[in-house]
Amino acid sequence: MNDAKLQTPAEADHSQIVSALIGALPDPVLVVDGNRRIIATNSGARILFTNATVGGALTLSVRAPDILDAVLRILDGGERECVLWSEPVPVERLFEVYVSAFTYEGYRAAVIEFRDLTEARRVERMRVDFIANASHELRTPLASLLGFIETLQGPAKDDTAAREQFLGIMRDQARRMTRLVDDLLSLSRIEQNEHVRPQTPVDLVAIVRHVVDTLAPVANEGGVELMVSTPKTAMIAGDRDELIRVAENLVENAIKYGAGGGSPQRVTVSVTESGGLTTLEVRDNGPGIPPEHLPRLTERFYRVDAPTSRAKGGTGLGLAIVKHIVSRHRGRLSVESTLGSGSTFRVTLKK
Ligand code: ADP
């Protein structure tokens, strides 16, 4: 038998074992003794409470009365508790705090564990907002359709002129609903595949030229000068249909929202290659976008001016779709805009 003294956990330095143990946990954890003095912290706890030091009083680091009261009850023999705690600064965060008893060699200590609920709450709020927004967007054209159907069945039954006019409006509303459902389905399909990066070699220049050819009549109709500047080819790994969608949305937006700025209205689409990156840029000389809106443009249903967007057939989902496609391609979408001189939407992709 080896006569070297075996160090059993009972003989080891308890605080070291406790520190090592909680150091392995992903959430912030503090352990306090019966006098509410901190006996161990992990790195998460030291980030959350910068003044939490071993040997210091818990009351000096954690200023939340609910947590301190729960610790007192636990040290008094109480059962495990969970309290909600929100930290308003520097950014509002919400935590679920578990306070449990921990007994060693007859001493009672308390373990305080902080689970960050901020992200989960944000995702949940986004989901609820999304359902409310999508329902609202569908309900408006539906209410209008129902109204016209009732009018056509009742007061306007025999009015041929009114019938023609109402049927035209009803067709537009039904198309609006179709566009919305199509965009919602595209968004959900792209999101489902977002973790799979497309690998097929595609020519971004051919894609851009195809989109420009398709949208040339729309630009023409609106009196918009559509200019293109590209190299001969620009091969990247991508999904052709999705990249067509990106270019289409950006060029369509530039045509739709670029009016009322510089005269003549001009949209420039360019593809450039440099240092392993390929950039698609769509620039308009329109009225531009106020800076406070820029960070939110890619949110679903976010519009700078909702009535204008709806009047132009917008669903408010175009840039959200662009963002998800670009993210699936591991690329970057950026927007620059100067009030009075136009906006530039830029998609940067790896070659
Ligand atoms: P929509 O279906 O409303 O066009 P998007 O997601 O494509 O939805 O765009 C969101 C909002 O961003 C638009 O409603 C518009 O207010 C603004 N926007 C997009 N592109 C431009 C642009 N080139 N110039 C000015 N505003 C723009």
Side-chain angles (χ1 to χ4, degrees), residues 285-319:
N285 61 346
I289 304 165
E292 66 273 21
H293 294 287
L294 292 179
R296 302 195 57 191
L297 284 188
T298 56
E299 284 177 24
R300 291 149 198 223
F301 299 115
Y302 191 85
R303 294 145 157 144
V304 176
D305 174 4
T308 308
S309 154
R310 289 202 186 98
K312 290 177 187 268
T315 58
L317 293 172
L319 289 177

Side-chain angles (χ1 to χ4, degrees), residues 215-227 251-260 262 264-269 283-286 312:
L215 291 175
V218 184
N220 237 337
E221 214 172 279
V224 180
E225 241 182 81
L226 192 53
M227 327 250 284
V251 177
E252 249 178 7
N253 276 353
I255 297 174
K256 275 195 305 200
Y257 302 111
Q265 191 188 335
R266 184 175 299 133
V267 172
T268 313
V269 190
R283 195 167 70 232
D284 64 63
N285 61 346
K312 290 177 187 268

